[in-house]
Amino acid sequence: MFQKVLIANRGEIAARIIRTCKKMNIATVAVYSEADEQATYVKEADESFLIGKPRVNESYLNIDNILDAAKESGAEAIHPGYGLLSENAGFAKRCREAGFAFIGPSEEVMATMGDKVAARQAMKEAGVPIVPGTDQAVTDVEEAKAYANEFGYPVMLKAAAGGGGIGMQAVNNDAELEKAFEGNSKRAESFFGNGTMFLEKQILNPRHIEIQVLADSHGNAVHLFERECSIQRRHQKVVEEAPSPFLSEATRKDMGETAIQAVQALHYKNAGTIEFLVDREENFYFLEMNTRLQVEHPVTEEITGIDLVEQQLRVAFGEALIFQQKDITRTGHAIEVRIYAEDPVRFFPSPGQLTKFEIPNGEGIRHELAVTGNSMVTPFYDPMIAKLIAYGEDREQAISRMQEALENYQVEGIKTNIPMLKDVIAHDKFKQGATETSFVEKYYLPAVTNN
């Protein structure tokens, strides 16, 4: 096994990876910006290296500085976490060229799945159902309008290199498409360096359900069941759970087998997630593949008992998976909420000095933390400060434990989305399992706006 691993990330995911490395007796190397010098994960690592100024392009996206830290520390492998450089094929390539094991898939697969148009084509060739849409980039608004009228409105305008909802917009007619095309293309160019757009038919009131996969370099591939991630704000996930309260066993089995089919067609290695949109009749369509660990991976760990970070490390080291599909079972129910430093109504970031941060403990409660009671939440990074996970023997118990934990979560000095999370978890529609992607717009926002 690796003796030393550098974590090319920050915050709660860096702390999460450090925890598993310690369990496996692997030394850890943290990297940090000037803004994160006092961060918890930096103190928890065995070694730490300053890699630049606060802004991400001067630190956490600075590949040269990260590789210099890896060389100086003597690390053998680099774990990218999620976000930042985790799906950057160029970074994966440079890690390997510099002699470091990259804890993730090959750069070729990352490049293919990072391009939404190429990913659609690859999945189509693999026999995975895809949403009707364009199989190539759309170069201008007139071409987009022609395709939209062929598919029939409403359609989703999407950035080929996008993620996190950036450059994505639902449009209902030619006039809306004309207005949206140029702005979203420019936004995608600004965020991803690629303004290429494509179109998909909009699946109305879908659910966002994903399948966790693991594959090794020995030809073995398994899935670890599904996670439902339908409750989102601005196309960003807020509440995730496993298993889905919606899927029938037949569809669950079919989706798992389809995910493995995709993995094998790609010759994929390491952890990944196949994301699907699922309509009310349980028809499912490929949405995208995340070639990394997911933010919501703890709910899968809770219901399967499998440490996904450990499996990533073992696969990257060249070990074969020690379990087959028949060995993987699910028990109970888990729900995760993402706690953001943000206004709970307008969803604007709320940076500042924490003056109080007290977290609840209890049976079935798990925390993944990026801050402590005296942390400064800076404006430079994603505003997620923690994840709260509640596990129960069934969904009802998991909901009850989550509600109690949220009531006892105490944060002062900044605004958080905890009031929103309380309202969502307590809502009758959530308790009934009616968690379509329109949930926040349909049930939460009207309630708080009218109060």
Side-chain angles (χ1 to χ4, degrees), residues 246-313:
F246 173 69
L247 291 186
S248 65
E249 286 299 328
T251 303
R252 176 174 287 115
K253 182 174 183 293
D254 195 9
M255 287 180 72
E257 291 173 350
T258 300
I260 295 302
Q261 184 177 326
V263 167
Q264 292 174 331
L266 291 168
H267 304 290
Y268 191 84
K269 183 181 74 172
N270 216 268
T273 305
I274 310 291
E275 303 200 353
F276 296 97
L277 289 180
V278 184
D279 68 20
R280 291 181 175 180
E281 284 73 49
E282 295 192 63
N283 300 304
F284 57 90
Y285 306 92
F286 172 78
L287 177 63
E288 64 181 354
M289 182 177 191
N290 292 123
T291 54
R292 54 169 168 79
L293 195 66
Q294 292 280 88
V295 178
E296 58 272 21
H297 75 273
V299 295
T300 295
E301 294 181 328
E302 292 299 315
I303 67 164
T304 63
I306 293 173
D307 183 329
L308 287 170
V309 175
E310 178 181 347
Q311 296 308 314
Q312 285 190 292
L313 291 162

Side-chain angles (χ1 to χ4, degrees), residues 221-410:
V222 297
H223 71 80
L224 279 70
F225 305 106
E226 84 282 359
R227 296 184 289 257
E228 174 138 356
C229 310
S230 299
I231 296 182
Q232 307 174 5
R233 82 317 180 231
R234 295 178 179 167
H235 304 292
Q236 291 272 12
K237 301 167 186 173
V238 179
V239 180
E240 299 105 347
E241 60 182 308
S244 166
F246 173 69
L247 291 186
S248 65
E249 286 299 328
T251 303
R252 176 174 287 115
K253 182 174 183 293
D254 195 9
M255 287 180 72
E257 291 173 350
T258 300
I260 295 302
Q261 184 177 326
V263 167
Q264 292 174 331
L266 291 168
H267 304 290
Y268 191 84
K269 183 181 74 172
N270 216 268
T273 305
I274 310 291
E275 303 200 353
F276 296 97
L277 289 180
V278 184
D279 68 20
R280 291 181 175 180
E281 284 73 49
E282 295 192 63
N283 300 304
F284 57 90
Y285 306 92
F286 172 78
L287 177 63
E288 64 181 354
M289 182 177 191
N290 292 123
T291 54
R292 54 169 168 79
L293 195 66
Q294 292 280 88
V295 178
E296 58 272 21
H297 75 273
V299 295
T300 295
E301 294 181 328
E302 292 299 315
I303 67 164
T304 63
I306 293 173
D307 183 329
L308 287 170
V309 175
E310 178 181 347
Q311 296 308 314
Q312 285 190 292
L313 291 162
R314 293 191 181 284
V315 167
F317 191 66
E319 295 183 11
L321 295 175
I322 61 171
F323 39 72
Q324 300 177 27
Q325 192 64 57
K326 62 181 177 60
D327 301 318
I328 303 170
T329 58
R330 70 179 197 276
T331 304
H333 198 98
I335 302 171
E336 173 183 296
V337 296
R338 304 185 187 190
I339 297 175
Y340 288 96
E342 68 179 14
D343 183 292
V345 178
R346 297 182 299 166
F347 306 143
F348 291 163
S350 175
Q353 177 70 54
L354 279 167
T355 57
K356 186 176 185 179
F357 186 75
E358 295 183 3
I359 58 175
N361 291 302
E363 188 173 359
I365 297 300
R366 170 177 168 179
H367 300 278
E368 299 292 347
L369 304 175
V371 298
T372 61
N374 59 357
S375 293
M376 172 64 73
V377 179
T378 77
F380 301 110
Y381 314 117
D382 182 274
M384 189 175 73
I385 60 172
K387 299 184 308 198
L388 170 63
I389 303 97
Y391 173 83
E393 294 180 2
D394 53 29
R395 189 169 187 264
E396 183 178 355
Q397 187 178 59
I399 289 174
S400 176
R401 287 175 172 174
M402 177 62 75
Q403 285 182 290
E404 183 177 359
L406 286 171
E407 286 296 329
N408 290 295
Y409 220 104
Q410 298 183 49

Side-chain angles (χ1 to χ4, degrees), residues 1-299:
M1 180 46 62
F2 302 118
Q3 297 300 303
K4 184 181 289 188
V5 171
L6 180 139
I7 300 145
N9 216 296
R10 61 175 301 279
E12 62 86 18
I13 186 56
R16 164 72 189 89
I17 296 166
I18 289 169
R19 189 168 70 243
T20 287
C21 286
K22 286 184 182 296
K23 180 182 74 173
M24 298 174 70
N25 294 315
I26 300 171
T28 55
V29 181
V31 294
Y32 64 94
S33 73
E34 291 176 354
D36 277 339
E37 185 174 3
Q38 300 301 317
T40 302
Y41 79 93
V42 176
K43 299 172 184 177
E44 291 176 346
D46 295 299
E47 299 175 62
S48 58
F49 288 80
L50 174 66
I51 55 169
K53 295 182 181 298
R55 297 189 183 281
V56 290
N57 63 324
E58 297 178 276
S59 53
Y60 299 107
L61 297 183
N62 190 316
I63 294 175
D64 289 336
N65 287 3
I66 291 171
L67 292 179
D68 285 346
K71 292 171 186 175
E72 187 175 346
S73 69
E76 304 156 80
I78 296 177
H79 196 306
Y82 52 69
L84 298 174
L85 291 169
S86 64
E87 293 182 285
N88 186 308
F91 178 56
K93 181 179 180 181
R94 288 198 57 189
C95 287
R96 292 193 171 106
E97 288 177 344
F100 302 105
F102 181 79
I103 301 173
S106 70
E107 54 266 30
E108 292 82 8
V109 170
M110 291 176 69
T112 297
M113 303 316 288
D115 182 318
K116 300 296 191 292
V117 176
R120 280 174 53 85
Q121 188 61 39
M123 292 298 96
K124 186 176 182 180
E125 292 173 0
V128 176
I130 61 174
V131 179
T134 56
D135 290 330
Q136 61 279 323
V138 177
T139 56
D140 58 52
V141 71
E142 293 304 319
E143 184 181 12
K145 285 161 59 177
Y147 278 118
N149 282 283
E150 177 185 338
F151 302 140
Y153 286 102
V155 298
M156 293 296 294
L157 178 66
K158 293 186 173 183
I166 296 168
M168 182 166 73
Q169 185 175 339
V171 292
N172 297 293
N173 51 53
D174 283 356
E176 288 186 11
L177 183 53
E178 286 182 359
K179 186 177 179 180
F181 191 91
E182 184 177 358
N184 281 282
S185 180
K186 287 182 177 178
R187 192 161 184 243
E189 177 69 35
S190 174
F191 274 86
F192 310 115
N194 182 351
T196 303
M197 307 301 291
F198 72 105
L199 291 178
E200 285 182 345
K201 175 69 178 173
Q202 185 180 11
I203 307 298
L204 297 175
N205 299 313
R207 290 171 182 258
H208 185 142
I209 299 176
E210 60 193 27
I211 303 291
Q212 174 71 58
V213 294
L214 279 173
D216 62 26
S217 55
H218 302 272
N220 304 305
V222 297
H223 71 80
L224 279 70
F225 305 106
E226 84 282 359
R227 296 184 289 257
E228 174 138 356
C229 310
S230 299
I231 296 182
Q232 307 174 5
R233 82 317 180 231
R234 295 178 179 167
H235 304 292
Q236 291 272 12
K237 301 167 186 173
V238 179
V239 180
E240 299 105 347
E241 60 182 308
S244 166
F246 173 69
L247 291 186
S248 65
E249 286 299 328
T251 303
R252 176 174 287 115
K253 182 174 183 293
D254 195 9
M255 287 180 72
E257 291 173 350
T258 300
I260 295 302
Q261 184 177 326
V263 167
Q264 292 174 331
L266 291 168
H267 304 290
Y268 191 84
K269 183 181 74 172
N270 216 268
T273 305
I274 310 291
E275 303 200 353
F276 296 97
L277 289 180
V278 184
D279 68 20
R280 291 181 175 180
E281 284 73 49
E282 295 192 63
N283 300 304
F284 57 90
Y285 306 92
F286 172 78
L287 177 63
E288 64 181 354
M289 182 177 191
N290 292 123
T291 54
R292 54 169 168 79
L293 195 66
Q294 292 280 88
V295 178
E296 58 272 21
H297 75 273
V299 295

